[in-house]
Amino acid sequence: MSLKCGIVGLPNVGKSTLFNCLSNAKAQSANFPFCTIEPNVGVITVPDERLAVLAPMVNTTKIVPTTVEIVDIAGLVKGASKGEGLGNQFLGNIRETDAIIHVLRCFDDENVVHVDGSVDPVRDKEIIDTELQLKDLETCENRIKKVEKVAQVGGDKNARIEYDVLCAYREALLQGKNARSVTFESKEETAAAKGLYLLTAKPVLYVCNVDEGAASTGNAYVEAVRQAVRDEGAEILVVAAQTEADIAELDTYEERQEFLSDLGLEESGCNRLIKAAYKMLELETFITAGEMEVKAWTYRKGWKAPQCAGVIHTDFERGFIRAQVIKYDDFVRLGSEAAVRDAGLLHIEGKDYVVQDGDIMHFLFNV
C-alpha cells in the first residue's frame, strides 16, 4: 500500500530539517528560499513497540515494521496559485499526496530569515490556505463549466451529482473555507468529491516547529495556532525540529532517551509525528508473528479480513477461506499461541470480520 504525506510550508520554516529527522535521508537544508526544488521522498518506519514485545515470545530476532512515504515539498509563497515562486510545481506535488503535514515556524531566530520578514505562524498558515483554496476554486470553476449543461439539461444522474458537489465546494471556497469543511451524506456524492482530488480536501496535521526551550511546553506562537485552527478538527503537534536533528545524531538509544528526558519528553517528536500521520491517513496495523519474523502490515481502518489478506498477497484475498485471529493483549498476557488456544481465545473469523488494530492474523486460503 503506497501512501504519501506531503510536508508543506513557507520557505525556511524547518520542513527539510524535519524531513531529514523523519527519514534519515539527507535533504539539502539551507537558510534561503527554494533550497528544496524537487521533492525529496523518504520511506519512514512507523514506530510500533508491540513488535519488539512479540519477537522474543515467538523466538525470532527479525522484526519488520510497516512504513509510510513522506515527501518534502518546495516552500510556497504568496501568489503560488498564479505561478509565483515554484507555484505550479508545488501545487502539483501536493496533489500527488494523500495527506498534508503543514509545518509552521513558531520560533524566533534572527539568523534564519523569514520570507515575509517576521514570525507569524497564523499569517503563514493563512497564506498557504489561501493559495490552495484559490487553486481549488479554479479547479471547481473549470469543472463546473464542463458538467453544468449536461447536469441541468442532459439528465445525466452522475453529472448532476458532480455538479452539486462542485457547487457546494465552490460556495465554501468563496467563503475562504477549505474543501474538507464540506461533508456529503450520500455515497455517490462522497465518491464524486473524492474524484476531484482537491488540495484543501486532504486531511492536514499542523506541526509547530519551536526552539528547544519550548519543545515540551509550547509557546505563545503555538497557542495562537491552536486558536486559529480550533474549528478545523485538525491535530497540532509541537516539535523542535533542530533539536530532533541533534538527538538523531546521538549514537545509542539510551543517550537519545536521556536527552528527551532532560527536555521533559517521553517520546521523540519524530515518533509522535509519524504515528499522528499514520492515524491521519486512517491507517491501522495487523501483525503476523512466527519464528521467521514478526511483521507489521498496513491496512485501511474498517477493512475486512479478505482485504487485509490481500495486503500480504492477492492470492490470499482471492482464495480467502477464513482467518485465525489472536488479540495482541491476549497473546502478551498468556505468553504463547498454544496458551491462547487452550484458553479458547483464538478466534476463527470469516469474510465479514472487520480487522482491528494490533490483531495477530493467520490467513487460510485456497486458489
Side-chain angles (χ1 to χ4, degrees):
M1 181 183 295
S2 178
L3 293 167
K4 293 180 181 179
C5 285
I7 301 180
V8 306
L10 294 180
N12 287 358
V13 297
K15 300 184 310 301
S16 295
T17 301
L18 186 62
F19 172 84
N20 288 338
C21 297
L22 290 169
S23 66
N24 291 324
K26 297 300 178 185
Q28 186 183 10
S29 177
N31 184 21
F32 58 89
F34 309 122
C35 172
T36 302
I37 298 177
E38 292 298 327
N40 298 294
V41 180
V43 178
I44 62 172
T45 296
V46 179
D48 193 333
E49 296 80 5
R50 295 171 299 192
L51 305 182
V53 173
L54 288 172
M57 299 177 72
V58 295
N59 298 316
T60 186
T61 57
K62 185 177 180 182
I63 294 175
V64 184
T66 189
T67 59
V68 171
E69 284 190 1
I70 295 286
V71 186
D72 176 26
I73 297 171
L76 176 147
V77 293
K78 191 179 296 184
S81 60
K82 303 300 181 184
E84 292 295 324
L86 299 167
N88 292 328
Q89 182 174 345
F90 172 94
L91 297 167
N93 292 332
I94 294 179
R95 201 176 299 280
E96 295 173 1
T97 66
D98 301 284
I100 295 171
I101 297 171
H102 187 160
V103 181
L104 297 166
R105 177 172 169 176
C106 295
F107 65 90
D108 293 306
D109 187 340
E110 62 183 17
N111 295 315
V112 180
V113 298
H114 190 290
V115 69
D116 284 328
S118 63
V119 178
D120 186 341
V122 174
R123 175 203 60 206
D124 296 352
K125 171 195 173 304
E126 290 172 351
I127 288 173
I128 287 192
D129 278 354
T130 298
E131 295 304 325
L132 299 185
Q133 289 165 8
L134 288 171
K135 196 64 179 180
D136 278 350
L137 184 59
E138 179 185 310
T139 298
C140 287
E141 296 282 10
N142 291 339
R143 189 63 191 163
I144 285 172
K145 291 176 184 177
K146 293 181 179 179
V147 302
E148 184 173 14
K149 188 173 183 179
V150 177
Q152 294 181 340
V153 181
D156 186 315
K157 180 183 176 182
N158 291 332
R160 182 70 208 186
I161 291 171
E162 183 178 352
Y163 176 75
D164 289 343
V165 167
L166 286 163
C167 288
Y169 274 147
R170 178 175 62 181
E171 181 65 23
L173 291 164
L174 286 171
Q175 294 176 26
K177 298 178 180 178
N178 290 315
R180 57 181 165 272
S181 68
V182 182
T183 57
F184 301 98
E185 295 183 0
S186 73
K187 292 182 179 178
E188 292 80 9
E189 288 176 323
T190 301
K194 189 175 182 180
L196 295 172
Y197 300 103
L198 296 183
L199 302 171
T200 64
K202 298 178 186 295
V204 64
L205 169 68
Y206 293 104
V207 175
C208 294
N209 184 18
V210 300
D211 56 27
E212 183 175 307
S216 63
T217 60
N219 56 28
Y221 292 131
V222 174
E223 290 309 310
V225 173
R226 289 191 196 281
Q227 291 300 312
V229 306
R230 64 185 182 277
D231 296 328
E232 293 189 26
E235 186 173 353
I236 293 176
L237 282 182
V238 177
V239 175
Q242 186 55 56
T243 302
E244 293 287 328
D246 294 339
I247 292 172
E249 295 296 324
L250 297 176
D251 293 330
T252 68
Y253 172 81
E254 289 74 18
E255 287 178 311
R256 292 191 289 272
Q257 288 304 114
E258 184 177 352
F259 197 143
L260 288 170
S261 179
D262 289 342
L263 294 175
L265 298 172
E266 294 182 2
E267 186 176 24
S268 76
C270 286
N271 277 9
R272 289 185 286 114
L273 175 54
I274 295 167
K275 290 177 179 179
Y278 197 68
K279 181 181 178 181
M280 177 173 60
L281 289 167
E282 296 189 324
L283 302 178
E284 292 182 335
T285 300
F286 72 86
I287 300 167
T288 55
E291 291 186 0
M292 289 184 62
E293 64 183 15
V294 171
K295 185 169 183 176
W297 302 86
T298 298
Y299 68 96
R300 286 276 192 189
K301 184 177 182 179
W303 275 14
K304 295 181 178 181
Q307 291 173 287
C308 289
V311 174
I312 298 177
H313 197 287
T314 53
D315 283 350
F316 284 26
E317 180 175 8
R318 185 161 56 92
F320 179 88
I321 300 173
R322 61 183 179 274
Q324 296 177 348
V325 183
I326 299 175
K327 298 300 179 183
Y328 170 79
D329 288 343
D330 289 339
F331 196 106
V332 173
R333 177 170 54 87
L334 295 171
S336 69
E337 181 177 330
V340 171
R341 285 179 181 271
D342 290 343
L345 293 174
L346 187 149
H347 306 281
I348 304 300
E349 304 289 355
K351 293 182 178 180
D352 292 330
Y353 175 69
V354 178
V355 176
Q356 303 298 305
D357 184 61
D359 278 353
I360 301 170
M361 310 284 293
H362 177 70
F363 298 103
L364 295 124
F365 69 102
N366 182 36
V367 291

